[in-house]
Amino acid sequence: MAGERESEVKLIGAWPSPFVLRARVALNLKHIQYEFLEETIGTKSELLLKSNPVHKKIPVLIHAGKPICESLIIVQYIDEVWTSSGPSILSSDPYDRAIHRFWAAYVDDKWFPAMKGIAMAPTAEGKKAAVEETLSAAVLLEEAFVALGKGKPFFGGDHIGFVDIAFGSQLGWIKVTELTSGLKLIDPEKTPNLAQWADRFRQDPAVSGVIPDTQKLAEYAKSLFAKLKGAQPQN
Protein backbone atom coordinates (compact mmCIF):
# COMPACT_ATOMS: atom_id res chain seq x y z
CA MET A 1 0.00 0.00 0.00
CA ALA A 2 2.89 2.38 0.71
CA GLY A 3 3.81 2.22 -2.95
CA GLU A 4 0.30 3.15 -4.05
CA ARG A 5 0.20 5.40 -7.09
CA GLU A 6 0.15 9.11 -6.33
CA SER A 7 -2.93 9.48 -8.52
CA GLU A 8 -4.84 7.24 -6.08
CA VAL A 9 -4.25 9.57 -3.12
CA LYS A 10 -4.95 13.30 -3.31
CA LEU A 11 -5.19 15.95 -0.65
CA ILE A 12 -7.12 19.18 -1.13
CA GLY A 13 -5.69 21.87 1.10
CA ALA A 14 -3.83 25.13 1.57
CA TRP A 15 -0.37 25.66 3.02
CA PRO A 16 -1.32 27.92 6.00
CA SER A 17 -3.95 25.55 7.41
CA PRO A 18 -2.94 23.64 10.56
CA PHE A 19 -5.75 21.19 9.82
CA VAL A 20 -4.34 20.40 6.39
CA LEU A 21 -0.93 19.96 8.00
CA ARG A 22 -2.35 17.12 10.09
CA ALA A 23 -3.16 15.09 7.01
CA ARG A 24 0.20 15.86 5.40
CA VAL A 25 2.13 14.71 8.49
CA ALA A 26 0.06 11.52 8.76
CA LEU A 27 0.66 10.69 5.09
CA ASN A 28 4.38 11.35 5.51
CA LEU A 29 4.54 9.15 8.61
CA LYS A 30 3.00 6.33 6.61
CA HIS A 31 5.29 6.99 3.61
CA ILE A 32 2.31 7.48 1.32
CA GLN A 33 2.86 9.35 -1.93
CA TYR A 34 0.07 11.78 -2.68
CA GLU A 35 -0.85 14.66 -4.92
CA PHE A 36 -1.32 17.94 -3.05
CA LEU A 37 -4.08 20.01 -4.64
CA GLU A 38 -3.46 23.54 -3.40
CA GLU A 39 -6.59 25.64 -3.00
CA THR A 40 -6.39 29.31 -3.87
CA ILE A 41 -6.87 31.10 -0.55
CA GLY A 42 -10.18 32.93 -0.45
CA THR A 43 -11.86 30.75 -3.05
CA LYS A 44 -13.36 27.27 -3.13
CA SER A 45 -12.66 25.06 -6.12
CA GLU A 46 -15.31 22.99 -7.85
CA LEU A 47 -13.51 19.85 -6.67
CA LEU A 48 -13.62 21.00 -3.04
CA LEU A 49 -17.33 21.83 -3.22
CA LYS A 50 -18.03 18.48 -4.85
CA SER A 51 -15.86 16.55 -2.40
CA ASN A 52 -17.10 18.26 0.78
CA PRO A 53 -20.60 19.54 0.00
CA VAL A 54 -21.61 19.70 3.68
CA HIS A 55 -18.92 21.93 5.22
CA LYS A 56 -17.17 23.07 2.03
CA LYS A 57 -13.87 23.20 3.91
CA ILE A 58 -10.34 21.83 3.66
CA PRO A 59 -8.77 19.39 4.17
CA VAL A 60 -10.28 16.68 2.03
CA LEU A 61 -8.44 13.43 1.38
CA ILE A 62 -9.40 11.65 -1.82
CA HIS A 63 -8.45 7.97 -1.87
CA ALA A 64 -9.34 5.89 -4.91
CA GLY A 65 -11.86 8.54 -5.90
CA LYS A 66 -13.62 8.60 -2.51
CA PRO A 67 -13.48 11.79 -0.35
CA ILE A 68 -12.82 11.78 3.40
CA CYS A 69 -13.38 15.04 5.32
CA GLU A 70 -12.41 16.54 8.70
CA SER A 71 -8.75 16.54 9.71
CA LEU A 72 -8.78 14.13 12.67
CA ILE A 73 -11.06 11.72 10.82
CA ILE A 74 -8.61 11.82 7.91
CA VAL A 75 -5.68 11.03 10.24
CA GLN A 76 -7.56 8.06 11.70
CA TYR A 77 -8.47 6.86 8.22
CA ILE A 78 -4.84 7.01 7.11
CA ASP A 79 -3.79 5.03 10.17
CA GLU A 80 -6.46 2.38 9.62
CA VAL A 81 -5.94 1.95 5.87
CA TRP A 82 -2.14 1.84 5.77
CA THR A 83 -1.56 -0.38 8.79
CA SER A 84 1.55 -2.07 7.40
CA SER A 85 3.37 1.14 6.50
CA GLY A 86 5.09 3.35 9.04
CA PRO A 87 4.38 3.54 12.78
CA SER A 88 0.85 3.27 14.17
CA ILE A 89 -0.62 6.70 14.87
CA LEU A 90 -3.18 5.43 17.38
CA SER A 91 -2.67 2.64 19.91
CA SER A 92 -4.39 -0.70 19.41
CA ASP A 93 -5.53 -0.55 23.05
CA PRO A 94 -9.14 0.77 23.24
CA TYR A 95 -8.56 2.77 26.43
CA ASP A 96 -5.38 4.38 25.15
CA ARG A 97 -7.13 5.26 21.89
CA ALA A 98 -9.98 6.90 23.82
CA ILE A 99 -7.59 8.99 25.96
CA HIS A 100 -5.61 10.17 22.94
CA ARG A 101 -8.82 11.09 21.13
CA PHE A 102 -9.91 13.04 24.21
CA TRP A 103 -6.77 15.19 24.19
CA ALA A 104 -6.92 15.69 20.44
CA ALA A 105 -10.48 16.95 20.86
CA TYR A 106 -9.27 19.19 23.70
CA VAL A 107 -6.84 20.86 21.30
CA ASP A 108 -9.66 21.63 18.87
CA ASP A 109 -12.33 22.53 21.42
CA LYS A 110 -10.27 24.48 23.98
CA TRP A 111 -6.74 25.33 22.86
CA PHE A 112 -7.37 26.52 19.31
CA PRO A 113 -10.36 28.81 20.06
CA ALA A 114 -8.51 30.35 23.03
CA MET A 115 -5.35 31.01 21.04
CA LYS A 116 -7.36 32.44 18.17
CA GLY A 117 -9.05 34.75 20.66
CA ILE A 118 -5.69 36.34 21.52
CA ALA A 119 -5.55 37.80 18.03
CA MET A 120 -9.25 38.20 17.34
CA ALA A 121 -10.83 39.33 20.62
CA PRO A 122 -12.47 42.74 19.97
CA THR A 123 -11.75 44.07 23.48
CA ALA A 124 -8.78 44.17 25.85
CA GLU A 125 -10.85 42.28 28.39
CA GLY A 126 -11.61 39.56 25.84
CA LYS A 127 -7.96 39.30 24.88
CA LYS A 128 -6.92 38.99 28.53
CA ALA A 129 -9.41 36.17 29.05
CA ALA A 130 -8.13 34.40 25.91
CA VAL A 131 -4.53 34.68 27.13
CA GLU A 132 -5.43 33.22 30.52
CA GLU A 133 -7.36 30.37 28.96
CA THR A 134 -4.53 29.57 26.53
CA LEU A 135 -1.87 29.56 29.23
CA SER A 136 -4.04 27.34 31.44
CA ALA A 137 -4.53 24.97 28.53
CA ALA A 138 -0.75 24.82 27.99
CA VAL A 139 -0.28 23.67 31.58
CA LEU A 140 -2.88 20.94 31.12
CA LEU A 141 -1.24 19.82 27.89
CA GLU A 142 2.11 19.72 29.69
CA GLU A 143 0.57 17.37 32.24
CA ALA A 144 -1.02 15.31 29.46
CA PHE A 145 2.34 14.97 27.72
CA VAL A 146 3.94 13.61 30.89
CA ALA A 147 1.08 11.15 31.41
CA LEU A 148 0.75 9.96 27.82
CA GLY A 149 4.40 10.09 26.77
CA LYS A 150 5.64 8.22 29.86
CA GLY A 151 9.16 9.62 29.53
CA LYS A 152 9.36 9.09 25.77
CA PRO A 153 9.85 11.77 23.08
CA PHE A 154 6.24 12.19 21.94
CA PHE A 155 2.68 12.04 23.20
CA GLY A 156 2.48 8.84 21.19
CA GLY A 157 5.62 7.37 22.77
CA ASP A 158 8.64 6.65 20.61
CA HIS A 159 6.94 8.01 17.48
CA ILE A 160 4.63 10.85 16.55
CA GLY A 161 1.07 9.85 17.42
CA PHE A 162 -2.48 11.18 17.28
CA VAL A 163 -2.16 13.94 19.89
CA ASP A 164 1.24 14.93 18.50
CA ILE A 165 -0.36 15.53 15.11
CA ALA A 166 -3.41 17.30 16.58
CA PHE A 167 -1.37 19.72 18.72
CA GLY A 168 1.81 19.83 16.65
CA SER A 169 -0.15 21.11 13.67
CA GLN A 170 -0.74 24.28 15.70
CA LEU A 171 2.95 25.05 16.29
CA GLY A 172 3.31 27.39 13.33
CA TRP A 173 0.36 29.48 14.51
CA ILE A 174 1.62 29.32 18.08
CA LYS A 175 4.90 30.88 16.92
CA VAL A 176 3.04 33.58 14.98
CA THR A 177 0.84 34.35 18.00
CA GLU A 178 3.93 34.61 20.20
CA LEU A 179 5.58 36.98 17.73
CA THR A 180 2.58 39.26 17.38
CA SER A 181 1.52 39.28 21.04
CA GLY A 182 4.88 39.22 22.80
CA LEU A 183 3.66 36.25 24.86
CA LYS A 184 5.30 32.88 25.42
CA LEU A 185 2.55 30.32 25.03
CA ILE A 186 4.87 27.34 25.30
CA ASP A 187 7.29 28.54 27.97
CA PRO A 188 10.49 26.52 28.55
CA GLU A 189 10.28 27.44 32.24
CA LYS A 190 6.57 26.79 32.84
CA THR A 191 6.06 23.96 30.35
CA PRO A 192 9.55 22.53 29.79
CA ASN A 193 8.38 19.18 28.48
CA LEU A 194 6.14 20.80 25.87
CA ALA A 195 8.94 23.13 24.79
CA GLN A 196 11.31 20.21 24.19
CA TRP A 197 8.56 18.21 22.50
CA ALA A 198 7.78 21.10 20.15
CA ASP A 199 11.40 21.21 18.96
CA ARG A 200 11.42 17.44 18.37
CA PHE A 201 8.14 17.57 16.49
CA ARG A 202 9.25 20.37 14.16
CA GLN A 203 12.51 18.58 13.38
CA ASP A 204 10.93 15.20 12.61
CA PRO A 205 11.34 14.25 8.92
CA ALA A 206 7.58 13.78 8.55
CA VAL A 207 7.04 17.39 9.64
CA SER A 208 10.05 19.51 8.71
CA GLY A 209 9.30 19.62 4.99
CA VAL A 210 5.64 20.63 5.32
CA ILE A 211 5.34 22.86 8.40
CA PRO A 212 4.96 26.49 7.25
CA ASP A 213 7.82 28.96 7.53
CA THR A 214 7.14 31.22 10.52
CA GLN A 215 7.85 34.51 8.74
CA LYS A 216 5.75 33.59 5.72
CA LEU A 217 2.93 32.49 8.00
CA ALA A 218 3.21 35.72 10.03
CA GLU A 219 2.82 37.80 6.87
CA TYR A 220 -0.22 35.78 5.86
CA ALA A 221 -1.70 36.07 9.38
CA LYS A 222 -1.31 39.85 9.39
CA SER A 223 -3.37 40.11 6.22
CA LEU A 224 -5.92 37.53 7.38
CA PHE A 225 -6.55 39.07 10.79
CA ALA A 226 -6.91 42.53 9.26
CA LYS A 227 -9.65 41.20 6.96
CA LEU A 228 -11.40 39.30 9.75
CA LYS A 229 -11.36 42.25 12.13
CA GLY A 230 -12.67 44.48 9.39
CA ALA A 231 -15.57 42.09 8.89
CA GLN A 232 -16.55 42.11 12.58
CA PRO A 233 -19.67 44.16 13.44
CA GLN A 234 -18.91 47.46 15.14
CA ASN A 235 -20.70 48.43 18.36
Side-chain angles (χ1 to χ4, degrees):
M1 295 288 279
E4 192 158 1
R5 295 193 309 275
E6 183 177 296
S7 60
E8 290 293 311
V9 184
K10 301 177 181 180
L11 179 65
I12 306 174
W15 69 267
S17 170
F19 304 104
V20 172
L21 181 61
R22 291 173 174 176
R24 301 193 77 179
V25 171
L27 288 165
N28 288 346
L29 280 171
K30 291 292 188 175
H31 310 295
I32 305 303
Q33 294 184 347
Y34 65 97
E35 182 182 358
F36 186 54
L37 304 176
E38 183 90 35
E39 285 284 297
T40 300
I41 297 171
T43 65
K44 297 180 187 292
S45 69
E46 183 178 342
L47 180 61
L48 173 60
L49 296 175
K50 178 183 176 182
S51 302
N52 188 359
V54 177
H55 297 299
K56 303 177 176 65
K57 292 181 178 180
I58 54 175
V60 178
L61 180 74
I62 301 175
H63 179 213
K66 299 176 181 179
I68 303 95
C69 307
E70 299 295 314
S71 63
L72 293 180
I73 293 174
I74 290 171
V75 171
Q76 292 178 74
Y77 177 86
I78 291 168
D79 193 38
E80 292 169 1
V81 169
W82 290 285
T83 55
S84 62
S85 180
S88 295
I89 295 172
L90 271 164
S91 169
S92 59
D93 180 81
Y95 179 77
D96 287 345
R97 290 170 74 89
I99 296 302
H100 282 255
R101 285 174 173 146
F102 171 87
W103 283 108
Y106 180 83
V107 170
D108 281 359
D109 296 342
K110 298 296 184 181
W111 170 275
F112 183 69
M115 184 179 69
K116 186 178 179 181
I118 295 174
M120 294 302 300
T123 66
E125 186 177 290
K127 180 176 179 178
K128 180 181 178 182
V131 169
E132 291 175 354
E133 188 175 351
T134 305
L135 294 178
S136 295
V139 172
L140 287 176
L141 286 162
E142 168 87 358
E143 294 172 357
F145 176 81
V146 173
L148 299 180
K150 300 174 183 176
K152 294 184 177 180
F154 298 102
F155 283 93
D158 291 319
H159 307 284
I160 286 175
F162 196 59
V163 183
D164 297 286
I165 292 173
F167 190 37
S169 66
Q170 308 289 328
L171 288 175
W173 284 97
I174 290 171
K175 279 288 188 183
V176 168
T177 305
E178 290 178 336
L179 285 173
T180 56
S181 67
L183 298 167
K184 200 68 179 172
L185 302 181
I186 298 181
D187 192 326
E189 295 184 2
K190 296 178 181 177
T191 54
N193 291 291
L194 274 189
Q196 294 172 21
W197 161 82
D199 288 339
R200 286 193 294 270
F201 183 85
R202 279 190 291 262
Q203 293 167 11
D204 190 276
V207 178
S208 60
V210 291
I211 194 166
D213 174 76
T214 300
Q215 190 57 45
K216 182 180 178 183
L217 192 60
E219 292 171 1
Y220 168 77
K222 183 179 179 180
S223 173
L224 174 66
F225 290 144
K227 291 178 182 178
L228 291 176
K229 286 182 177 179
Q232 288 181 345
Q234 301 298 313
N235 294 326

